[in-house]
């Protein structure tokens, strides 16, 4: 039998955490033969710790064969101890009357502390995905706070945008998600992200030939950008199940590979596509077990450049707002 791996989940008792823990413990993330130890972090306050205890009771009662052990804690140094994978979900939610800058700086503190803790106690090969918003910038902060860990191991979640883009493209032409290849979503996980279908195929046919350009630009792009808000409107709660699913599939593909299929990950830029180094930016990748590789050399036309620069501008502004808080 394989040796168990340690998986840290922060904000574990929140909506997304609750939609995530049981799937990780069931093997949906790392495969049906990989035992896991769940290390769950919640705020060190009575209510979240109590809620976390409840989640752990349910984990016990699921009797998951792959759940080798679990830890619930309010201390990042306990939560990240020897962790092989980390899903950073917990973040400060936007409160009423809260300025963007306040949100950024509250989160900068959380992700600085967590980056430092990982730097100190996690596996030297820990693989990280940041889900908590603003995810790209929070990931940048965690990465900068963990100078002893490989930068390439810090990623942010663009997969929900990617999955939404794939589904709605397939649905438009009456096909299924299995028919769609080579989708790309560039940039920030925010309404500025740019779903680029120029390389996409649907059942082998170029997507751009199957859908109308005006529909793509005027309806599809805004619809993908606003999908989160549309779900909130319908459900009265944010899109937790699809966010949890996106994080799990991001980690699964990174750990187990994609067999040549393109997926989108937020990665610290290597300078390609005109994106300044270290900015966390959604790019297309393929994965082999344990390793992602950027899809390089794609042609960027004028429309795409404009869209990619707009989402980059937003990321640069976020980064400037937290500059003084990052060491
Ligand atoms: P959720 O579980 O719904 O969301 C958690 C984070 O994920 C938020 O930042 C949210 O952003 C983000 N997110 C990213 N993509 C999506 C998406 N598609 N849909 C919805 N959210 C998305 O929040 P809860 O408030 O239910 O739970 C958060 C938990 O984190 C709480 O239990 C809290 O106690 C905990 N927490 C833990 C910390 C820690 O471990 N140190 C620090 C701070 C909080 P957005 O706000 O934009 O919706």
């Amino acid at each position: 039998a394989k040796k168990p791996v340690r998986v840290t989940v922060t904000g574990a008792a929140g909506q997304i955490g609750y939609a995530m823990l049981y799937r990780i413990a069931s093997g949906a993330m790392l495969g049906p033969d990989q035992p896991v130890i769940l290390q769950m972090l919640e705020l060190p306050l009575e209510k979240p710790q109590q809620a976390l205890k409840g989640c752990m009771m349910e984990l016990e009662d699921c009797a998951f064969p792959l759940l080798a052990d679990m830890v619930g804690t309010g201390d990042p140094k306990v939560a990240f101890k020897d962790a092989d994978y980390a899903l950073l979900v917990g973040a400060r939610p936007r409160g009423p009357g809260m300025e963007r800058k306040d949100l950024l700086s509250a989160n900068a503190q959380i992700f600085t502390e967590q980056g430092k803790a990982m730097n100190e106690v996690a596996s030297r090969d820990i693989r990280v995905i940041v889900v908590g918003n603003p995810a790209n910038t929070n990931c940048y902060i965690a990465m900068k706070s963990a100078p002893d860990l490989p930068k390439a191991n810090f990623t942010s979640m663009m997969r929900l945008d990617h999955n939404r883009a794939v589904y709605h493209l397939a649905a438009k032409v009456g096909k299924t998600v299995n028919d769609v290849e080579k989708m790309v979503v560039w940039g920030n996980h925010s309404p500025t992200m740019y779903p680029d279908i120029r390389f996409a195929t649907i059942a082998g046919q170029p997507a751009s030939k199957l859908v109308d350009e005006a529909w793509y630009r005027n309806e599809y792009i805004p619809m993908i950008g606003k999908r989160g808000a549309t779900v909130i409107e319908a459900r009265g709660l944010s899109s937790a199940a699809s966010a949890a699913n996106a994080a799990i599939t991001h980690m699964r593909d990174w750990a187990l590979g994609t067999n040549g299929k393109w997926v989108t990950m937020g990665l610290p830029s290597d300078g390609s596509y005109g994106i300044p180094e270290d900015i966390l930016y959604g790019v297309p990748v393929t994965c082999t077990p344990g390793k992602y590789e950027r899809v390089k050399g794609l042609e960027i036309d004028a429309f795409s450049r404009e869209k990619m620069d707009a989402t980059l501008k937003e990321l640069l502004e976020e980064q400037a707002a937290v500059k003084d808080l990052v060491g």
Side-chain angles (χ1 to χ4, degrees), residues 10-11 13-17 41-43 48 89-94 110 114 131-133 157 160 164 189 238-240 243:
T10 74
Q15 270 214 95
I16 296 175
L41 182 67
E42 257 301 342
L43 292 172
V89 179
R92 182 72 183 272
R94 207 174 305 242
I110 294 169
Q114 294 186 0
V131 176
N133 279 319
M157 186 167 90
L160 183 53
R164 286 168 173 163
H189 171 64
S238 61
S239 43

Side-chain angles (χ1 to χ4, degrees), residues 225-300:
K226 285 188 263 180
R227 184 68 169 175
T230 308
V231 172
I232 293 183
E233 219 174 279
R235 209 170 85 88
L237 289 167
S238 61
S239 43
S242 51
N245 176 67
I248 285 170
T249 48
H250 171 122
M251 287 307 229
R252 184 199 62 203
D253 285 349
W254 193 359
L256 306 179
T258 62
N259 270 321
K261 203 174 162 86
W262 294 16
V263 293
T264 303
M265 291 171 78
L267 299 184
S269 178
D270 62 353
S272 55
Y273 296 117
I275 303 145
E277 240 171 85
D278 288 0
I279 290 268
L280 267 288
Y281 195 97
V283 292
V285 302
T286 57
C287 302
T288 51
K291 196 169 182 300
Y292 61 72
E293 194 160 341
R294 281 178 180 73
V295 176
K296 293 225 176 167
L298 297 175
E299 194 201 316
I300 307 300

